[in-house]
Amino acid sequence: MDFVSRGDSTDVFNEDFPHPFGDPWVTNIETEITDDEKTWVMNTSGLLYGPTAFSSGHSSLVEVAHPIDVRFEKGFFGTHYFVSQFFKGREVFRKYPKFGNSMSSIDNDTTEWISEALYYIGSTAVYDLQKDSTTMINSLLADRMENYIRGYVDRKNFTELYSIEDSSGLFVRDILNPFLDELPSTYELAFQELVDLYSKEMHITGQLRDDQFKFHIFLPGVVITTNADSISGDTLMWTFGLKEFLNDDYILHAESIIYSKKRIQIGIIILLGLVLIIAFFFIKFKR
């Protein structure tokens, strides 16, 4: 399988669609210069079999959100080949619907989504920290913090919220200051890390807006089923963008088969033999 990214250095090396890293992947980076414009090309290839989830770098602890499964099964009449590529939905309309609407519209120059997004980021961080014994707080205090976050983002104007979004540390301090005396010593750092994580997640979604993905998968034999956009010989092709997985999961899948002529011939002989036997007994008993 090959992953190919093409564009300027910012687009190729950002984190919106990281290439897989480690065994069995090999990455090659080249530049192409045409009309005084430099185009970066990153190619990552690997030979796959079975379910494969992969990391995107030395320090990455999170699997890339597009695992692939490649496998084959031998049947009586031939060998079936299966491939599925999974793109995890960004769940934008569940997390921050107004941001999703701005991503879906032609004119996305709006700030109406900022307060909603910041409320999701802050309240989700509070909720997640309740699952850890070192940061768990009284449920009443957690509810108070969530209500405070809602009121905080509602009171701020969009210009102020923009500056807060650019500096998550300011947002964290403003949210936690009224509650510092009631929070565990580890809470502020843990809250900051989660705010940064969810802010980065939303930022990556925004970067994916103008990206287009082209997938070419080669399957031997006869294609039985697929959701590919087009097929040329043994090559299946998909072209899609963020809208396909802006909210829900998007799965590329295909199945093909290579028929065994010898086994088909054996099957036909067996079938004819059964027909002759049935016909023989039918004629015999009819007499």
Side-chain angles (χ1 to χ4, degrees):
M1 181 177 186
D2 288 344
F3 286 87
V4 181
S5 293
R6 180 185 298 270
D8 59 30
S9 59
T10 302
D11 196 35
V12 170
F13 296 108
N14 64 15
E15 297 181 312
D16 57 357
F17 193 82
H19 282 217
F21 167 84
D23 186 58
W25 304 100
V26 177
T27 298
N28 182 52
I29 300 173
E30 298 178 346
T31 57
E32 299 175 353
I33 299 178
T34 55
D35 299 329
D36 296 327
E37 289 188 3
K38 180 183 287 188
T39 300
W40 290 81
V41 181
M42 179 188 294
N43 182 291
T44 301
S45 59
L47 183 62
L48 306 182
Y49 175 70
T52 305
F54 32 80
S55 171
S56 59
H58 286 284
S59 59
S60 176
L61 300 177
V62 181
E63 293 174 346
V64 175
H66 41 264
I68 186 171
D69 184 11
V70 181
R71 58 190 174 87
F72 70 90
E73 294 178 0
K74 290 188 176 181
F76 184 81
F77 291 110
T79 303
H80 289 257
Y81 295 85
F82 305 87
V83 61
S84 60
Q85 176 86 50
F86 177 82
F87 287 82
K88 182 173 176 56
R90 307 298 294 181
E91 299 183 336
V92 168
F93 290 102
R94 179 185 68 81
K95 298 173 180 176
Y96 14 71
K98 291 181 180 178
F99 181 60
N101 290 333
S102 73
M103 294 287 291
S104 303
S105 65
I106 297 175
D107 179 16
N108 70 332
D109 186 19
T110 176
T111 57
E112 294 181 358
W113 53 267
I114 298 175
S115 59
E116 181 185 68
L118 283 176
Y119 172 72
Y120 167 80
I121 291 170
S123 61
T124 303
V126 172
Y127 175 80
D128 286 351
L129 291 178
Q130 288 296 87
K131 302 175 185 177
D132 188 335
S133 60
T134 63
T135 54
M136 184 182 296
I137 57 178
N138 181 279
S139 59
L140 182 60
L141 176 58
D143 290 341
R144 285 170 52 206
M145 290 181 63
E146 183 177 343
N147 290 331
Y148 183 81
I149 294 170
R150 184 183 296 277
Y152 177 85
V153 298
D154 287 343
R155 289 192 304 271
K156 294 288 184 179
N157 63 44
F158 290 134
T159 303
E160 291 175 314
L161 287 175
Y162 254 129
S163 64
I164 292 169
E165 185 195 31
D166 294 336
S167 177
S168 63
L170 176 61
F171 174 69
V172 170
R173 286 193 298 273
D174 283 353
I175 295 300
L176 297 187
N177 268 340
F179 308 98
L180 284 179
D181 293 339
E182 304 174 75
L183 297 174
S185 58
T186 57
Y187 200 93
E188 184 174 1
L189 179 59
F191 187 80
Q192 177 74 65
E193 289 176 348
L194 287 178
V195 167
D196 289 341
L197 175 66
Y198 294 131
S199 297
K200 182 178 180 180
E201 176 189 47
M202 189 179 69
H203 178 65
I204 288 175
T205 300
Q207 288 182 317
L208 286 167
R209 174 185 169 89
D210 298 320
D211 288 0
Q212 186 181 64
F213 305 98
K214 294 182 179 181
F215 271 73
H216 293 184
I217 294 178
F218 305 94
L219 277 183
V222 179
V223 176
I224 299 175
T225 178
T226 182
N227 63 347
D229 296 322
S230 60
I231 302 175
S232 177
D234 60 356
T235 305
L236 295 84
M237 293 167 280
W238 290 261
T239 300
F240 60 97
L242 175 62
K243 68 177 182 178
E244 274 75 19
F245 60 105
L246 184 63
N247 198 62
D248 300 322
D249 299 337
Y250 182 61
I251 302 175
L252 287 62
H253 66 83
E255 176 186 352
S256 69
I257 184 172
I258 294 181
Y259 291 104
S260 169
K261 292 182 179 179
K262 183 177 181 180
R263 291 190 174 186
I264 290 176
Q265 291 171 350
I266 293 173
I268 292 173
I269 292 172
I270 292 174
L271 179 61
L272 289 175
L274 289 173
V275 170
L276 290 174
I277 291 172
I278 293 172
F280 171 78
F281 282 106
F282 178 77
I283 295 172
K284 182 177 180 180
F285 285 112
K286 192 173 182 181
R287 290 179 179 177

